[in-house]
Amino acid sequence: MPDDSTTEARLRELFREQEWSLPPWPDAALRVRRAARRQRVRSALAATGAGAVIIAIALSLALLRAPSPEVTSDGITNLLTCRDSAGQQDRDTRPARLANGVDGFIGDTNAYDTLPVQRVAGDRYLDWKSPLAVQPGSYRTVTVVSPASAWLDYGVGRVSPARAVGLPACGSRYTLYLGGILVRRPACVTLAVSDPAGKTALVTVPVLRGCPRATR
């Protein structure tokens, strides 16, 4: 394609008027680059706006879905979600116990048994596996009452051990949560099971030792 100077020279020759000139020819390539730049800016703004909307919706849904359990005096509570559950099951038979809507709390009174060891903040803890299941229809919070050194380790791999754990009910059957109780030494671990109405039940789990029958 001839450029502007060639076209202008030919027109001068045809019209035999050397003073005559064409107005400047717009730069087509520049117009294309500018249009492409404007399109990229519009696309980036649209993507940013859509991302902000998605994030806002996700946060709103998370806030609506998350229950509000009681927080322990030291403020350490692990709030689990239905994604942390191991599925649905029927209520366990004995020696499992039902305390205020939470099923489980199976202990071990044999002092000669051995348990896996886990470290929390550099300290050595015995890990007693004690799955818990929540009855349909209501949220429960399980809190360590004694000993003060004990921890609850549920939602393993996602959260750290805590003094209390929130367990939502997620279906028409009992919702199972895997995990356990961490103790420094054999102990009678007393737990408080609370519901949203404020009702609380105490249950004691023996870990490698016997406990008074009245507390079990």
Side-chain angles (χ1 to χ4, degrees):
M1 179 180 292
D3 58 22
D4 294 347
S5 59
T6 303
T7 302
E8 185 174 332
R10 290 182 179 178
L11 288 173
R12 283 176 179 170
E13 183 179 354
L14 288 172
F15 289 100
R16 302 184 183 284
E17 179 59 52
Q18 297 301 315
E19 300 300 324
W20 185 85
S21 64
L22 287 172
W25 188 266
D27 188 340
L30 179 60
R31 293 201 311 275
V32 170
R33 288 196 297 273
R34 287 177 176 173
R37 186 163 53 248
R38 288 194 298 270
Q39 181 64 34
R40 286 196 298 270
V41 170
R42 284 196 296 268
S43 298
L45 290 175
T48 301
V53 170
I54 291 172
I55 292 173
I57 292 174
L59 288 174
S60 299
L61 290 175
L63 291 174
L64 289 173
R65 184 172 59 246
S68 300
E70 295 180 12
V71 177
T72 55
S73 58
D74 59 2
I76 303 177
T77 300
N78 278 342
L79 178 61
L80 302 187
T81 69
C82 293
R83 289 175 303 201
D84 299 307
S85 74
Q88 303 282 297
Q89 66 170 36
D90 295 326
R91 179 181 171 183
D92 284 331
T93 57
R94 293 189 65 84
R97 290 171 290 165
L98 183 66
N100 197 17
V102 177
D103 187 38
F105 308 109
I106 301 174
D108 181 7
T109 59
N110 189 350
Y112 295 98
D113 285 344
T114 58
L115 297 181
V117 173
Q118 185 177 154
R119 291 196 174 272
V120 179
D123 294 325
R124 177 181 178 274
Y125 278 82
L126 302 174
D127 186 356
W128 171 246
K129 300 301 182 183
S130 180
L132 298 177
V134 183
Q135 71 180 16
S138 188
Y139 190 91
R140 293 293 188 272
T141 302
V142 180
T143 306
V144 173
V145 176
S146 66
S149 60
W151 296 86
L152 298 176
D153 190 22
Y154 291 84
V156 178
R158 189 183 71 87
V159 292
S160 301
R163 302 295 184 188
V165 61
L167 306 174
C170 305
S172 58
R173 300 166 67 191
Y174 278 76
T175 304
L176 178 65
Y177 293 92
L178 301 179
I181 303 170
L182 304 179
V183 292
R184 296 292 303 275
R185 59 188 61 84
C188 294
V189 181
T190 301
L191 306 172
V193 183
S194 305
D195 60 29
K199 178 183 176 183
T200 299
L202 296 180
V203 59
T204 298
V205 180
V207 180
L208 302 186
R209 57 160 291 181
C211 298
R213 187 171 293 275
T215 64
R216 293 175 55 184

